[in-house]
């Protein structure tokens, strides 16, 4: 007898299996739908790259640029009128301090002085004579021989004689000054940059005679931003470089720090005295100034591209609650390479948006990308100083 297996099964067992398969199918469809919805929501949110803010040790060189100028540079003009009778300078020539470089008819000035001295001697003689007469009138008046009118006239004549003497003394002083001014001397040691007169030329008082410039020392004049003003002081050493000598630097010392910041440029004017004993440097050269290296601790630096420049100031977007951003106004400091110092507004450990600012608004949700697509609020944060 052959026994065949039955093709029929228990009705309850069949329905249970069917229900189980249906549940699995529905769960699969539901999970797939959730993932698709999540992906769609994620695709609608801005994608950003972030950067972690940390406090670092910062070494920076304080650099500036400016111009070299002569510390002493002046135009020498004639103080008396007359003919140039002696000329001992030429353009480019060196002169010593106090040296006579030009004379304007000193013989005539000496004659004027002699005439003034003669007039002074005459006035003094007249004063002595008038003094004697006044004393005699006073004696006669005491004896009631001379009248009061005669005494008054004598005293008036004596006062006029004294005034004449003082006037002639002043004239002698003016003549002596003219004699001194007829010999033009160099007020400081330097180089004649330009000569404006020739021998035998007649000049008037105020005519420019020559231009004198001192080449040692020179001054480097430059400006620093208000953020760097606390790191410069008088007596500080500096190094100067110029394009004409790219392989050399020249010693300098800060001699002047402006007491106020220019409100128009927010910069501070600085002067540094430059040693030019070799005479290689010239006024007017463009100078690069290096004030040395300054080291500061616990400085927060962020990428330049993370900053937003607006009319109200500088700001960044900071991540909060994992996947939201808030706009924070910050105060910036020094710039080193592609990094900017943040002096206020952020704390070490903050995450800020480095790239992807377009379309962001305060409180908006974002997606932080880390290579592959990541779920919202679950994207891994990048290492410090790296993009994600």
């Amino acid at each position: 007898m052959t026994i065949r297996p039955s093709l029929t099964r228990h009705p309850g067992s069949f329905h249970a299996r069917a229900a189980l398969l249906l549940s699995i199918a529905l769960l699969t469809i539901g999970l797939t739908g959730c993932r698709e919805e999540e992906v769609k929501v994620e695709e609608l949110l801005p994608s950003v790259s972030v950067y972690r803010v940390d406090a670092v040790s910062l070494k920076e060189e304080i650099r500036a640029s400016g111009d070299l100028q002569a510390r002493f540079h002046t135009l020498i003009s004639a103080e008396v009128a007359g003919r140039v009778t002696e000329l001992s300078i030429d353009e480019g020539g060196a002169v010593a301090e106090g040296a006579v470089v030009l004379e304007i008819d000193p013989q005539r000035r000496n004659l004027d002085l002699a005439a003034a001295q003669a007039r002074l001697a005459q006035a003094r003689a007249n004063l002595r004579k008038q003094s004697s007469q006044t004393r005699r009138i006073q004696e006669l008046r005491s004896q009631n021989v001379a009248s009061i009118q005669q005494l008054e006239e004598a005293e008036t004549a004596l006062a006029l004689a004294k005034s004449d003497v003082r006037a002639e003394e002043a004239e002698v002083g003016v003549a002596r000054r003219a004699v001194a001014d007829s010999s033009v001397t160099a007020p400081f040691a330097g180089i004649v940059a330009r000569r404006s007169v020739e021998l035998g030329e007649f000049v008037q008082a105020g005519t420019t005679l020559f231009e004198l410039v001192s080449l040692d020392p020179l001054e480097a004049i430059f400006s620093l931003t208000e953020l760097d003003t606390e790191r410069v002081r008088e007596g500080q050493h500096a190094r100067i470089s110029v394009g004409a000598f790219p392989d050399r630097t020249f010693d300098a010392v800060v001699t002047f720090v402006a007491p106020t910041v220019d409100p128009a440029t927010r910069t501070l004017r600085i002067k540094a005295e430059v040693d030019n004993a070799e005479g290689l440097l010239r006024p007017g050269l463009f100078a690069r100034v290096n004030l040395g290296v300054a080291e500061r601790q616990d400085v927060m630096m962020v990428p330049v591209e993370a900053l937003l420049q607006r009319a109200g100031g500088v700001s960044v977007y900071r991540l909060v609650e994992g996947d939201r951003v808030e706009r924070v106004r910050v105060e910036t400091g020094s710039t080193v390479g592609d990094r900017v110092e943040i002096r206020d507004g952020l704390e070490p450990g903050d995450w800020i948006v480095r790239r992807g600012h377009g379309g962001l608004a305060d409180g908006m949700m974002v997606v932080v990308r880390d290579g592959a697509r990541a779920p919202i609020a679950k994207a891994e944060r990048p290492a410090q100083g790296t993009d994600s």
Side-chain angles (χ1 to χ4, degrees):
M1 177 174 154
T2 303
I3 300 176
R4 296 181 180 180
S6 176
L7 298 177
T8 61
R9 300 185 180 179
H10 193 276
S13 175
F14 174 78
H15 288 296
R17 290 175 178 274
L20 178 60
L21 292 174
L22 180 59
S23 298
I24 294 173
L26 291 175
L27 180 60
T28 303
I29 294 173
L31 292 175
T32 303
C34 289
R35 285 196 298 270
E36 290 178 353
E37 182 179 356
E38 181 180 330
V39 171
K40 290 180 180 179
V41 172
E42 184 179 339
E43 290 177 350
L44 295 176
L45 297 179
S47 175
V48 298
S49 171
V50 296
Y51 181 89
R52 185 174 187 270
V53 180
D54 275 335
V56 299
S57 175
L58 177 63
K59 290 183 178 180
E60 58 180 335
E61 288 186 320
I62 307 175
R63 292 181 176 271
S65 58
D67 297 315
L68 291 181
Q69 295 185 14
R71 187 175 181 182
F72 301 110
H73 183 189
T74 187
L75 296 175
I76 307 299
S77 300
E79 297 189 50
V80 295
R83 194 173 304 280
V84 178
T85 57
E86 186 174 338
L87 186 62
S88 58
I89 59 170
D90 204 351
E91 292 182 348
V95 295
E97 180 179 356
V100 177
V101 294
L102 186 147
E103 290 191 351
I104 304 174
D105 201 356
Q107 183 178 4
R108 177 179 177 179
R109 301 303 167 190
N110 285 320
L111 293 174
D112 291 341
L113 174 60
Q117 289 173 334
R119 290 191 297 271
L120 175 60
Q122 183 179 357
R124 286 173 174 171
N126 184 50
L127 175 60
R128 288 192 297 271
K129 177 182 178 182
Q130 192 62 43
S131 296
S132 297
Q133 291 179 353
T134 302
R135 284 194 300 271
R136 187 164 49 253
I137 297 296
Q138 289 173 343
E139 292 175 356
L140 294 175
R141 175 58 190 164
S142 63
Q143 299 171 5
N144 290 325
V145 176
S147 65
I148 295 177
Q149 181 179 0
Q150 289 177 322
L151 178 59
E152 290 178 347
E153 289 176 352
E155 290 177 345
T156 301
L158 179 61
L160 291 175
K162 291 179 178 179
S163 177
D164 288 342
V165 169
R166 289 193 294 269
E168 293 302 333
E169 287 176 344
E171 289 294 331
V172 169
V174 171
R176 284 176 176 166
R177 175 61 186 271
V179 170
D181 290 341
S182 65
S183 298
V184 182
T185 59
F188 53 85
I191 304 296
V192 177
R194 183 179 59 187
R195 193 186 70 192
S196 304
V197 295
E198 299 294 339
L199 185 65
E201 183 177 346
F202 188 89
V203 297
Q204 297 289 348
T207 301
T208 299
L209 303 175
F210 60 95
E211 179 180 357
L212 186 64
V213 58
S214 174
L215 297 182
D216 183 32
L218 296 179
E219 283 186 335
I221 301 179
F222 57 96
S223 297
L224 292 177
T225 64
E226 57 181 334
L227 299 176
D228 293 324
T229 56
E230 61 185 19
R231 287 175 283 171
V232 62
R233 64 189 183 281
E234 291 187 13
Q236 182 174 348
H237 290 273
R239 305 290 290 176
I240 306 296
S241 60
V242 296
F245 302 96
D247 299 327
R248 289 197 57 176
T249 58
F250 301 86
D251 294 328
V253 177
V254 175
T255 56
F256 171 77
V257 178
T260 59
V261 174
D262 187 343
T265 61
R266 311 307 303 175
T267 58
L268 192 70
R269 188 165 177 261
I270 314 291
K271 290 183 180 181
E273 186 178 286
V274 186
D275 180 19
N276 190 32
E278 299 180 61
L280 299 177
L281 302 177
R282 291 289 183 272
L285 289 177
F286 179 78
R288 296 176 179 85
V289 185
N290 187 339
L291 291 168
V293 176
E295 183 173 357
R296 291 185 287 146
Q297 303 295 329
D298 300 327
V299 180
M300 290 184 294
M301 304 291 291
V302 302
V304 175
E305 57 188 340
L307 303 181
L308 299 172
Q309 300 285 346
R310 297 291 187 268
V314 182
S315 60
V316 299
Y317 278 109
R318 177 171 58 190
L319 264 67
V320 294
E321 301 175 2
D323 53 9
R324 292 185 182 275
V325 294
E326 66 172 353
R327 188 172 173 180
V328 180
R329 185 171 179 177
V330 296
E331 179 186 346
T332 59
S334 301
T335 300
V336 180
D338 61 349
R339 297 290 190 271
V340 177
E341 176 189 359
I342 301 297
R343 295 196 167 188
D344 189 30
L346 295 176
E347 296 293 337
D350 286 344
W351 290 91
I352 63 172
V353 175
R354 179 172 187 170
R355 286 193 292 265
H357 308 91
L360 291 186
D362 203 19
M364 180 178 290
M365 296 182 63
V366 296
V367 176
V368 178
R369 296 297 185 184
D370 187 12
R373 181 175 302 170
I376 299 175
K378 293 183 179 179
E380 294 183 0
R381 301 306 189 210
Q384 177 189 0
T386 60
D387 296 333
S388 63

